[in-house]
Amino acid sequence: MCGIVGYTGRRQAAPILLDSLSRLEYRGYDSAGLAVRNGAALAEVVKATGKLYHLADKTDQGRALAGCCGIGHTRWATHGDPSIVNAHPHVSGNCSGSGSGAVESDVVGVHNGIIENYTELKEKLLRHGYVFYSDTDTEVAVKLVDYYYKKYKIGPVDAITRTMVRIRGSYALALMFKDYPDEIFAARKDSPLIIGAEDGEAYLASDVPAILKYTRQVYYIDNLQVARVSPGKALFYDLNGDEVEMPLTEITWDAEAAEKGGFEHFMLKEIHEQPGAVRDTLNSIVKDGWVDLSQTGLTEDAIRSIEQIVIVACGSAWHVGMAAQYVMEDLAGIPVRVELASEFRYRSIPISGGTLVIIISQSGETADSLAALRVAKERGAQTLAIVNVIGSTIAREADHVLYTLAGPEIAVATTKAYSAQLIASDVLAIHMARIREKMTAEEAERLLGELALIPEKISRILEEKERLQWFSSKMANTRDIFFIGRGLDYAISLEGSLKMKEISYIHSEAYAAGELKHGTISLVENNTLIIGVLTQKALYEKTVSNMMECKSRGGYLLGITTNGNFDLEDSVNFTVYIPKTDEHFMASLAVVPLQLLGYYTSVNRGLDVDKPRNLAKSVTVE
Ligand code: AGP
């Protein structure tokens, strides 16, 4: 998820672009750049890695860039490491170096989204004499627009629509053409983009916060539309190049609400971003019904030679490992153990070249996980990192990397990154099962089809969040909560418990349901809340009876189960039903009500949901 901005009007563009970008840093911040036109002069492109202030310093807060028309970008890397070369804007010219400076190019552009077929398009453009300086999909998109612009000599709008027909994926593009000095052209599919126009000035942005200071009059450009933006004016075109009328909308949000997309907290916004995070992660590793893990560099021979897998992580990432253990063992038949990173380094786990150590980490900077990675490498294991931040330390030091595409996660309590890691581990399990001939191609295709339906099923659960909001209002003063389950349901319970305790400060624990009778059930007293996760058919009855044992001691029961198990209402006090999917993947669905329960309980208790006390988003100390 990146942030793009644009401005054209009577004022100097660069300071406005920098100010707008500063309100989009939550969308990504590993590099940033500007391109500004000073009348008919060529665009001046300036880029910087790191936080936005580096770019502001490099351009003397924008004063070093003259011109009243420009575009800007703050990047969250998805293709290509965070570097000057890969930073946006990107140019169509065959320039060497980073595509910075006064560039001799017909087209200059910035992009938010993922071009899925950029490799094939790059090969096409290389055959037509284009030279590439970056590893990004965006440079391919900009050069493809240039290709059609020169080939058909039909003007920017038609060059862009032809490009839109050829590219697959998501995009919000803002482009400047040398022959149109005070205009910006935009195109959108699935990535957000708004266009403001008022009083002889016009603005483009990925999100409302970027332009709220300048105008509340905006156009919400539709999917597969092109916009032609000039000072104070915006024209819109459909994919056929025919002009279409778009309504001007008044924004009523305040700036803070706008940054959270209208949600009260980043956590709730990110819970709702899970369908997209899962979909983007899936689309990056499943192409046309086949798993493509070539990005990891993990060869089929390496997968065949795995003797054991050790998953190492912290917190919620460790919970992903606990779920992945069941899935990988069952599908791929590989022995899997899951270790806390902070404990792993003190263990003498037998590790050989046949051991694959998988480090799971959203930030890619967690000190315990990084230390564990280094120990694993010292002991001769092959290492694979599943991380969300491209270019992070763990990503750079692991032998192989599988990136999740959840985008920046602001709330300390992880949700969308957890879900993206989960789906990535499911795909990895299917891939390993296929390579090791534990699964037929048909079975793999069926399971991948099930995964493809997960995003929509998460959306369906989110549509019924009010039930959980109501229930959490009843339990805000609960003192003790137990999350129980068996098998994969136990792994899900672990995440539910952590979500609850880390943001509502209510003591809670997750227990393997069969373990309660070995001591913990002595803690159950009147009104102790027992939350049972019941998604695994073969274990359903046993877990229900464990819940009944708690009920007979005064426990208050909430059951989370799949549609159809309506008999559960006869046994528990409150039931949450979720859609069905293959049981291996139920964690992706059952976790959503648990996230919402923790969120609403924290809100009901008036706590700082996004920044819980004592916690940091990335624990870079041991
Ligand atoms: C989860 O909600 C917490 N924020 C925390 O447990 C987190 O999962 C853990 O610190 C690991 O972080 P990482 O994924 O960035 O390595």
Side-chain angles (χ1 to χ4, degrees):
M1 175 161 53
C2 306
I4 70 173
V5 296
Y7 170 80
T8 182
R10 58 180 174 279
R11 289 184 283 173
Q12 288 301 301
I16 294 173
L17 296 171
L18 286 170
D19 175 67
S20 296
L21 285 176
S22 69
R23 302 171 197 285
L24 295 180
E25 268 205 298
Y26 70 88
R27 298 179 63 84
Y29 37 72
D30 59 47
S31 56
L34 298 176
V36 175
R37 300 291 299 274
N38 188 10
L42 297 175
E44 178 82 21
V45 176
V46 181
K47 309 181 186 184
T49 52
K51 293 265 186 180
L52 187 62
Y53 69 83
H54 294 295
L55 180 66
D57 293 348
K58 199 170 181 179
T59 58
D60 186 18
Q61 310 310 311
R63 288 183 286 269
L65 280 176
C68 298
C69 180
I71 54 180
H73 187 271
T74 179
R75 184 168 184 246
W76 177 270
T78 54
H79 293 85
D81 276 348
S83 63
I84 288 276
V85 168
N86 290 329
H88 302 207
H90 286 291
V91 301
S92 59
N94 292 340
C95 59
S96 59
S98 66
S100 297
V103 293
E104 175 64 38
S105 284
D106 285 306
V107 187
V108 182
V110 292
H111 165 231
N112 171 31
I114 298 164
I115 308 292
E116 291 164 14
N117 60 334
Y118 79 100
T119 305
E120 66 182 76
L121 295 172
K122 186 168 186 174
E123 285 158 10
K124 168 193 171 72
L125 292 164
L126 285 166
R127 289 196 298 272
H128 286 280
Y130 282 87
V131 173
F132 289 83
Y133 55 79
S134 81
D135 303 325
T136 66
D137 55 345
T138 304
E139 186 189 357
V140 172
V142 172
K143 283 182 159 73
L144 190 61
V145 171
D146 180 71
Y147 168 74
Y148 287 123
Y149 181 65
K150 290 186 172 69
K151 180 174 180 178
Y152 295 102
K153 296 185 180 20
I154 45 180
V157 172
D158 290 310
I160 294 169
T161 54
R162 285 176 184 272
T163 302
M164 292 163 75
V165 169
R166 281 292 279 119
I167 60 181
R168 267 202 328 273
S170 59
Y171 50 85
L173 282 165
L175 302 161
M176 295 193 294
F177 289 74
K178 187 172 69 174
D179 305 333
Y180 298 77
D182 67 346
E183 295 187 78
I184 299 170
F185 294 81
R188 173 185 175 244
K189 177 176 175 291
D190 295 337
S191 293
L193 183 64
I194 57 171
I195 293 166
E198 186 174 356
D199 188 21
E201 299 180 293
Y203 311 82
L204 296 90
S206 296
D207 206 351
V208 167
I211 61 172
L212 213 49
K213 173 179 171 184
Y214 304 103
T215 180
R216 289 181 175 272
Q217 306 300 320
V218 300
Y219 297 99
Y220 287 94
I221 177 174
D222 266 346
N223 254 1
L224 297 179
Q225 276 189 347
V226 176
R228 178 172 186 170
V229 182
S230 54
K233 188 178 173 188
L235 299 175
F236 296 88
Y237 305 86
D238 63 21
L239 213 47
N240 300 319
D242 297 330
E243 192 172 336
V244 292
E245 277 302 311
M246 291 299 287
L248 200 57
T249 306
E250 168 102 25
I251 303 172
T252 56
W253 286 339
D254 65 32
E256 190 191 350
E259 202 167 83
K260 295 165 189 159
F263 290 99
E264 190 181 351
H265 298 100
F266 276 112
M267 184 178 175
L268 189 59
K269 176 172 180 260
E270 289 157 7
I271 287 174
H272 284 77
E273 286 176 342
Q274 289 185 116
V278 168
R279 188 177 301 113
D280 286 348
T281 302
L282 271 178
N283 288 342
S284 72
I285 50 181
V286 180
K287 312 274 172 77
D288 301 323
W290 288 97
V291 176
D292 172 11
L293 288 185
S294 53
Q295 63 162 285
T296 67
L298 203 55
T299 64
E300 294 195 3
D301 287 345
I303 289 173
R304 288 190 192 94
S305 63
I306 295 171
E307 294 159 6
Q308 71 164 339
I309 292 174
V310 183
I311 300 175
V312 184
C314 303
S316 292
W318 181 72
H319 299 153
V320 170
M322 291 296 283
Q325 176 181 41
Y326 291 98
V327 179
M328 290 180 179
E329 284 181 338
D330 196 55
L331 295 184
I334 303 173
V336 180
R337 56 192 304 166
V338 188
E339 300 294 339
L340 289 168
S342 54
E343 288 295 309
F344 173 76
R345 58 197 307 195
Y346 311 118
R347 304 284 301 277
S348 304
I349 297 172
I351 280 181
S352 67
T355 301
L356 176 65
V357 171
I358 300 177
I359 305 285
I360 302 175
S361 174
Q362 186 285 130
S363 62
E365 300 298 345
T366 300
D368 289 327
S369 303
L370 177 58
L373 168 64
R374 289 169 176 166
V375 166
K377 291 181 74 174
E378 283 162 14
R379 293 185 189 170
Q382 275 295 301
T383 57
L384 166 69
I386 298 179
V387 296
N388 192 46
V389 181
I390 287 189
S392 55
T393 307
I394 290 174
R396 280 185 282 110
E397 294 195 16
D399 300 312
H400 308 287
V401 184
L402 203 181
Y403 285 117
T404 54
L405 296 183
E409 192 174 61
I410 309 299
V412 166
T414 183
T415 51
K416 61 175 184 173
Y418 168 92
S419 291
Q421 290 161 359
L422 211 48
I423 215 82
S425 66
D426 290 336
V427 172
L428 181 60
I430 295 167
H431 184 60
M432 293 192 294
R434 276 293 295 132
I435 302 297
R436 297 167 69 100
E437 299 178 0
K438 296 289 184 183
M439 183 186 294
T440 64
E442 293 71 25
E443 178 60 359
E445 197 171 349
R446 180 187 74 81
L447 291 178
L448 291 172
E450 285 289 333
L451 289 180
L453 298 174
I454 293 288
E456 189 273 327
K457 292 179 176 178
I458 292 174
S459 298
R460 284 193 355 228
I461 297 170
L462 293 172
E463 286 160 13
E464 299 180 18
K465 58 178 180 279
E466 284 72 20
R467 263 173 70 71
L468 290 145
Q469 186 172 16
W470 174 84
F471 184 84
S472 61
S473 68
K474 305 290 175 199
M475 48 168 283
N477 299 316
T478 304
R479 283 188 314 110
D480 256 328
I481 304 173
F482 292 106
F483 293 78
I484 68 172
R486 288 170 180 256
L488 194 59
D489 289 338
Y490 168 53
I492 300 167
S493 299
L494 287 165
E495 180 57 10
S497 174
L498 178 59
K499 285 284 98 40
M500 181 63 73
K501 54 190 160 190
E502 70 175 326
I503 60 176
S504 74
Y505 311 155
I506 294 174
H507 174 259
S508 86
E509 289 309 327
Y511 279 91
E515 190 58 14
L516 280 168
K517 57 186 177 292
H518 297 288
T520 310
I521 200 166
S522 66
L523 291 174
V524 177
E525 51 193 26
N526 207 29
N527 282 329
T528 300
L529 179 56
I530 310 294
I531 297 177
V533 182
L534 302 136
T535 72
Q536 305 298 299
K537 192 172 182 182
L539 304 170
Y540 177 86
E541 293 300 339
K542 285 184 185 297
T543 303
V544 169
S545 62
N546 293 139
M547 294 178 77
M548 300 316 289
E549 288 157 15
C550 295
K551 188 171 187 176
S552 62
R553 291 163 174 78
Y556 189 89
L557 308 184
L558 182 155
I560 296 176
T561 191
T562 50
N563 290 329
N565 288 337
F566 300 120
D567 61 309
L568 187 61
E569 291 168 21
D570 304 331
S571 307
V572 302
N573 301 91
F574 190 82
T575 314
V576 175
Y577 294 104
I578 57 177
K580 285 182 180 175
T581 185
D582 183 279
E583 288 196 357
H584 293 94
F585 312 139
M586 280 310 302
S588 296
L589 300 180
V591 76
V592 178
L594 298 175
Q595 292 167 342
L596 290 167
L597 213 49
Y599 169 77
Y600 285 121
T601 303
S602 178
V603 169
N604 288 328
R605 291 167 66 92
L607 300 173
D608 185 346
V609 179
D610 287 332
K611 299 186 184 70
R613 68 187 180 198
N614 312 332
L615 296 178
K617 183 57 186 169
S618 178
V619 185
T620 54
V621 293
E622 291 183 21

